[in-house]
Amino acid sequence: AALAQDQDQEASGSMDEVRVTGSRIVSPNLQSISPITAIGAEELNIAGKARIEDVLNQLPQAFAAQGSNISNASDGTASVDLRGLGSQRTLVLVNGKRLMPGDPDGGSAADLNQIPLSLVKRVDVLTGGASSVYGADAVAGVVNFVMDNEFEGVRIDANYSFYNHKNDNERTQALNEARNFGLPDSSVNVGYSKDYSIAVGIGGAEGRGHATFYATYREVDAVLQDQFDYSSCTLNLGVNDTDYACGGSGSADPAQFLILNPNTGTLSVGRTVNPDGTMRDFTPNDQYNFGPVNFFQRPDERFTGGVFANFKLSEKADVYGEFMFMDDRSVAQIAPSGAFLGAATFNVNCDNPLWSDAQRQEFCGQFALGDDDFGQIVMAPRNTEGGGRQDDIGHESFRIVAGLRGELNDVLSYDGYIMHGETKRNSTYLNDFSTRRTAQALNARNDDDGNLQCLVNAVADSANH
């Protein structure tokens, strides 16, 4: 080291600024063998997200899991998936203690809807496997939400957000126009989200106790795929796999029919019916555009509330408790149902008054079947009049923790607690087709008075008489 030299007193001036270039602030990443990513409250606020899962999905080690942006096969929860090994292999903790499974039918994955974002002090993401400590549900890693249990005062937060998109993609617009599909508005503001929260922190006498109460409300509007130019038609690869084209499903409206030849057992090419009752070959332009009615974002409404409290009994004993409640409801929607190709072969009575003359000829007449006979078809109608298939999902859950902790000396400490959590799910699935009832609805006959009657009812009446 260089020797210190006497300095000229006149040359030295007063010090006006001190810069700290290092500190000994505790960092989780410096105290752990496995790598830990810590996200502080300030970073959470800067992210500007109303949902905690959206913040975690921005991490490079996180894969998109269940959330409001999933509709098909949604279970209504919000989860985190580290390293793509599955949400059931990522353990979620709150203040170092497990968060119970969020869906009774969805395995061990926790529901992040329980977490009050405004009270999160820090999120520690352990990206290395921790199964030796926590078990098989921590193979991918651990996410620990550290709550601000020392907050005092009153805090009110409000968030309002939406998605803005300018529909100026000329390529997809040309595809829509070629298929006579509707075009979205030139510019859209959709997916409005409102989020409100209040937190109240109260300190006890002599600073020995503290309690933090919170309540939140969130409402999210649905976003349909038909509101964006790049999703308003179902994109498939075009000719020679070099370009895009609007594709779709063979289960369409008007329906597609494949007619079974009773003599050879072979099926015809796809046929469909014209508005005047005549029939023609089913073409790619007749396919159903199932994309627009799918949700990009599910509508969602959520309430949460709870309390974190502690009281210092002595220098070596601190009693604490946690209570968290959540009530959430969302609706998943995909394209309308139908009698999809291959689901069943239907028998149709040849004297059915619902068929046009052309349909009776193709289903029965060309095979010399009479009015008392039955033809066989494979039918693929789309239930556009009934609306999309929906899964109305509701979750209600609560979590209770009560414990005692303290330090026995400079080396030894203890923490004993009991925890109980429950999750209830209500799910109602709407607008699906029943193959058996579809088969019954296909067959009709005029009764003696000329009134249209389902054949199953006509047979029943005949048997009764």
Side-chain angles (χ1 to χ4, degrees):
L3 297 175
Q5 302 293 328
D6 292 337
Q7 303 294 321
D8 187 350
Q9 296 293 329
E10 295 180 358
S12 63
S14 61
M15 185 178 295
D16 297 329
E17 182 180 3
V18 176
R19 291 188 179 182
V20 179
T21 59
S23 69
R24 291 187 57 81
I25 297 174
V26 175
S27 173
N29 203 29
L30 299 178
Q31 296 181 331
S32 173
I33 298 176
S34 299
I36 293 180
T37 299
I39 308 173
E42 183 177 354
E43 295 172 277
L44 294 174
N45 290 332
I46 293 175
K49 304 292 186 181
R51 298 181 287 265
I52 190 64
E53 65 270 21
D54 293 339
V55 178
L56 296 178
N57 283 338
Q58 292 180 325
L59 299 176
Q61 59 268 44
F63 285 66
Q66 286 285 337
S68 60
N69 59 336
I70 292 180
S71 187
N72 201 347
S74 170
D75 61 17
T77 66
S79 56
V80 57
D81 179 7
L82 295 179
R83 298 185 173 185
L85 297 178
S87 300
Q88 71 277 13
R89 294 291 179 259
T90 300
L91 179 62
V92 177
L93 307 176
V94 177
N95 291 332
K97 299 169 180 61
R98 291 173 182 262
L99 185 62
M100 72 281 190
D103 182 21
D105 300 325
S108 60
D111 187 1
L112 301 187
N113 283 312
Q114 282 267 8
I115 307 298
L117 181 58
S118 60
L119 271 184
V120 175
K121 182 179 181 180
R122 189 179 73 248
V123 183
D124 296 334
V125 181
L126 176 66
T127 56
S131 57
S132 60
V133 178
Y134 294 102
D137 53 352
V139 168
V142 181
V143 178
N144 181 29
F145 293 93
V146 181
M147 312 308 294
D148 188 0
N149 297 335
E150 300 176 354
F151 169 77
E152 290 193 7
V154 178
R155 175 179 173 178
I156 299 176
D157 291 289
N159 292 290
Y160 182 76
S161 63
F162 59 89
Y163 296 102
N164 170 264
H165 180 70
K166 186 177 181 180
N167 291 307
D168 57 357
N169 191 318
E170 296 179 357
R171 191 177 186 184
T172 55
Q173 289 181 6
L175 293 175
N176 281 3
E177 291 174 348
R179 294 287 301 275
N180 294 320
F181 293 155
L183 294 176
D185 294 336
S186 59
S187 182
V188 293
N189 299 315
V190 295
Y192 293 92
S193 175
K194 300 182 285 291
D195 185 82
Y196 310 100
S197 67
I198 182 172
V200 179
I202 304 173
E206 301 177 357
R208 298 180 62 184
H210 187 273
T212 303
F213 302 86
Y214 72 90
T216 73
Y217 173 75
R218 184 185 72 192
E219 183 180 11
V220 179
D221 291 345
V223 177
L224 287 167
Q225 291 187 20
D226 68 351
Q227 295 170 312
F228 300 94
D229 49 13
Y230 54 81
S231 57
S232 55
C233 84
T234 305
L235 292 177
N236 290 344
L237 287 175
V239 180
N240 298 324
D241 294 342
T242 58
D243 201 354
Y244 293 106
C246 282
S249 169
S251 297
D253 182 19
Q256 179 181 185
F257 299 92
L258 279 69
I259 304 162
L260 182 67
N261 187 325
N263 302 316
T264 64
T266 59
L267 287 171
S268 70
V269 297
R271 302 280 284 169
T272 190
V273 60
N274 292 314
D276 61 358
T278 59
M279 297 193 72
R280 58 174 173 81
D281 286 347
F282 188 88
T283 69
N285 285 338
D286 295 315
Q287 292 179 336
Y288 175 70
N289 182 24
F290 57 82
V293 293
N294 284 269
F295 280 156
F296 262 146
Q297 175 175 274
R298 300 191 319 269
D300 181 82
E301 187 177 26
R302 187 196 69 182
F303 301 89
T304 68
V307 58
F308 299 94
N310 62 82
F311 186 79
K312 196 173 189 62
L313 296 176
S314 67
E315 292 297 327
K316 299 184 182 298
D318 186 7
V319 63
Y320 63 93
E322 301 174 1
F323 174 75
M324 304 172 68
F325 172 81
M326 185 270 296
D327 187 356
D328 178 80
R329 183 192 174 195
S330 67
V331 178
Q333 176 174 291
I334 58 177
S337 184
F340 299 107
L341 286 176
T345 299
F346 299 101
N347 295 321
V348 292
N349 58 305
C350 295
D351 61 342
N352 193 326
L354 296 177
W355 305 126
S356 66
D357 292 338
Q359 287 176 301
R360 277 194 292 271
Q361 173 60 28
E362 294 214 17
F363 298 164
C364 299
Q366 65 172 317
F367 307 119
L369 298 176
D371 287 348
D372 295 331
D373 297 323
F374 286 82
Q376 288 186 305
I377 62 172
V378 175
M379 185 180 67
R382 179 71 63 161
N383 181 29
T384 54
E385 66 273 19
R389 284 166 286 176
Q390 292 186 341
D391 193 2
D392 192 337
I393 309 169
H395 284 95
E396 183 178 295
S397 61
F398 69 89
R399 174 180 179 268
I400 301 174
V401 178
L404 184 69
R405 62 192 171 199
E407 296 183 354
L408 300 177
N409 51 44
D410 294 339
V411 179
L412 298 177
S413 63
Y414 68 94
D415 186 353
Y417 64 92
I418 59 173
M419 182 178 68
H420 177 75
E422 288 187 12
T423 302
K424 299 179 181 178
R425 169 178 169 170
N426 295 314
S427 182
T428 304
Y429 200 80
L430 307 171
N431 299 338
D432 213 342
F433 259 24
S434 164
T435 302
R436 180 180 62 85
R437 293 181 179 180
T438 300
Q440 292 178 342
L442 277 176
N443 294 301
R445 180 174 292 166
N446 288 326
D447 61 16
D448 296 338
D449 297 326
N451 298 317
L452 187 66
Q453 188 177 27
C454 287
L455 186 61
V456 64
N457 296 331
V459 172
D461 291 343
S462 175
N464 292 333
H465 291 298

